Amino acid sequence: MQGGASGIGYGLKYQARCISDVKADTDHTSFLTGTLSLKEENEVHLLRLSSGGSELICEGLFSHPNEIWDLASCPFDQRIFSTVFSTGDSFGAAIWQIPEPYGQSNSSTLESVASLDAHVGKINCVLWCPSGKSDKLISMDEQNLVLWSLDCSKKSSEVLSKESAGMRHSLTGGAWNPHDVNSVAATCESSIQFWDLRTMKKVNSIERAHVRSVDYNTKREHILVTADDESGIHVWDLRKAKVPVLELPGHTHWTWALRCNPEYEELILSVGTDSAVNLWFASASSEKKTSESSGEVSRQRVNPLLNSYTDYEDSVYGLAWSSREPWIFASLSYDGRVVIESVKPFLPRR
């Protein structure tokens, strides 16, 4: 189906919040998305972009027992993914495997690989180690960060370590550092915390209120990007993190999530509750010098907003770049609308 003015659209049956790039599928541009229906049986859709790039095809439709609040594809096995789910009364997290063969004619049942059952409160996310074929996972609830070892062949998981963030902090999400597998950034109500997984201790923090989303720049070590509820998007150099090195305006309402491009270091995508997806150009060469003594935040000399995609009628919560074709991204609005867009016209010259 053709969606909006330029995007390729696909409609889910129910409301939804999360979408993930299937990084391990090197033959296709693929995404996984899951629904969020309290009263109905929920679904996971495996979507693939056609070889001509003109159609989004459902390659697999799978039933999921509960509301899906977070979904992440395994970076080294395209059939495996994680979900954080709610039963209405409690939260859980699990690892699933897509059965073979599969198709969209019937809703297939997912194969359970492992349950991440070391949590008590609300679980926020599951993070896969970004480096190679690692058996390590992290799950976060509001108070704890848990490091797991996963054995898919034995369908088992083991807690390697568990640490509390402290009663004064409520964790909301995070990102695993692609440049250092022992480092994780975790967001909470009043700060961004940096954890060393070897000791399971917090080693640093940036005081920042109401950070919704955080992502590392995969091409530039030490660069972290954050999205705040009301004050927009900030780019940080972690070697001198007293003030951000760059500030972007974000959205007209809450900026909900952001993602750095996996290949083009200057490109950042953000989504918000203003029903828009924004594409930003954030280049170090276009920043003004920052004066740490004066505490000023540098801004770009030219308009950093390359494009705003407004093919939506509801808040946009889900966002994923394609690893295989890094000029393509998928976004997901709460009403279950998936849109695939290409940013080729905006790619920086090399």
Side-chain angles (χ1 to χ4, degrees):
M1 295 182 290
Q2 190 70 21
S6 59
I8 301 166
Y10 177 88
L12 306 177
K13 190 186 296 185
Y14 308 119
Q15 294 171 327
R17 278 180 173 269
C18 46
I19 192 165
S20 175
D21 168 47
V22 185
K23 183 178 181 179
D25 186 356
T26 57
D27 296 324
H28 310 90
T29 299
S30 304
F31 300 92
L32 274 172
T33 183
T35 63
L36 189 77
S37 173
L38 180 60
K39 296 182 179 180
E40 304 292 340
E41 181 82 1
N42 282 279
E43 299 172 342
V44 173
H45 294 241
L46 173 60
L47 306 177
R48 283 181 180 161
L49 191 62
S50 64
S51 58
S54 60
E55 188 178 4
L56 193 57
I57 302 166
C58 180
E59 288 288 339
L61 177 61
F62 314 100
S63 59
H64 187 282
N66 305 109
E67 298 177 311
I68 301 172
W69 285 82
D70 176 76
L71 185 151
S73 181
C74 173
F76 58 83
D77 189 327
Q78 66 185 46
R79 293 176 57 205
I80 294 175
F81 64 96
S82 62
T83 61
V84 172
F85 53 85
S86 171
T87 64
D89 299 318
S90 62
F91 278 79
I95 310 300
W96 307 91
Q97 181 169 281
I98 293 173
E100 287 188 328
Y102 53 82
Q104 63 167 327
S105 56
N106 295 301
S107 183
S108 304
T109 301
L110 295 166
E111 298 173 5
S112 176
V113 174
S115 177
L116 307 181
D117 54 5
H119 297 274
V120 177
K122 179 184 178 183
I123 306 172
N124 292 306
C125 66
V126 173
L127 306 177
W128 294 84
C129 180
S131 178
K133 190 174 181 179
S134 173
D135 63 346
K136 300 298 190 294
L137 283 171
I138 289 173
S139 57
M140 292 185 195
D141 61 35
E142 291 179 319
Q143 297 297 329
N144 302 285
L145 187 147
V146 184
L147 180 64
W148 300 83
S149 174
L150 177 67
D151 190 329
C152 293
S153 62
K154 295 182 179 179
K155 294 190 173 182
S156 65
S157 59
E158 177 188 1
V159 174
L160 297 178
S161 51
K162 180 178 180 179
E163 189 61 43
S164 171
M167 295 301 293
R168 293 186 297 119
H169 302 284
S170 180
L171 298 177
T172 57
W176 205 317
N177 190 341
H179 307 286
D180 182 359
V181 295
N182 296 309
S183 178
V184 167
T187 58
C188 65
E189 292 177 345
S190 58
S191 66
I192 308 155
Q193 300 179 354
F194 298 93
W195 290 75
D196 188 327
L197 298 180
R198 293 166 295 190
T199 60
M200 289 299 283
K201 300 297 181 183
K202 185 178 71 171
V203 294
N204 202 356
S205 65
I206 298 173
E207 298 305 311
R208 198 80 194 179
H210 308 300
V211 174
R212 284 279 179 188
S213 183
V214 60
D215 197 22
Y216 285 92
N217 188 312
T218 59
K219 294 297 181 180
R220 295 179 64 193
E221 194 175 357
H222 309 300
I223 298 299
L224 184 82
V225 187
T226 60
D228 301 353
D229 267 357
E230 298 174 356
S231 56
I233 297 165
H234 296 87
V235 180
W236 305 83
D237 186 332
L238 298 180
R239 295 167 296 184
K240 45 181 181 180
K242 291 183 179 180
V243 293
V245 296
L246 184 66
E247 183 182 74
L248 303 171
H251 291 250
T252 57
H253 201 244
W254 287 349
T255 304
W256 194 267
L258 59 80
R259 295 290 183 269
C260 297
N261 188 279
E263 183 63 30
Y264 301 96
E265 64 182 52
E266 304 94 339
L267 298 184
I268 299 170
L269 277 173
S270 64
V271 297
T273 52
D274 58 354
S275 306
V277 179
N278 289 342
L279 176 66
W280 306 94
F281 184 83
S283 172
S285 62
S286 60
E287 296 167 14
K288 291 182 179 179
K289 298 294 184 181
T290 303
S291 171
E292 287 194 15
S293 59
S294 65
E296 293 178 355
V297 177
S298 61
R299 297 176 184 271
Q300 292 190 315
R301 294 171 182 167
V302 295
N303 183 6
L305 182 62
L306 295 176
N307 198 28
S308 186
Y309 304 87
T310 56
D311 299 336
Y312 312 90
E313 297 179 356
D314 209 337
S315 298
V316 186
Y317 293 123
L319 181 63
W321 285 105
S322 167
S323 298
R324 181 174 175 268
E325 296 183 284
W327 52 88
I328 288 175
F329 72 87
S331 53
L332 173 67
S333 54
Y334 188 58
D335 56 5
R337 177 173 171 77
V338 178
V339 178
I340 303 292
E341 298 274 6
S342 171
V343 302
K344 267 191 174 181
F346 307 102
L347 292 182
R349 294 179 180 178
R350 291 189 169 180

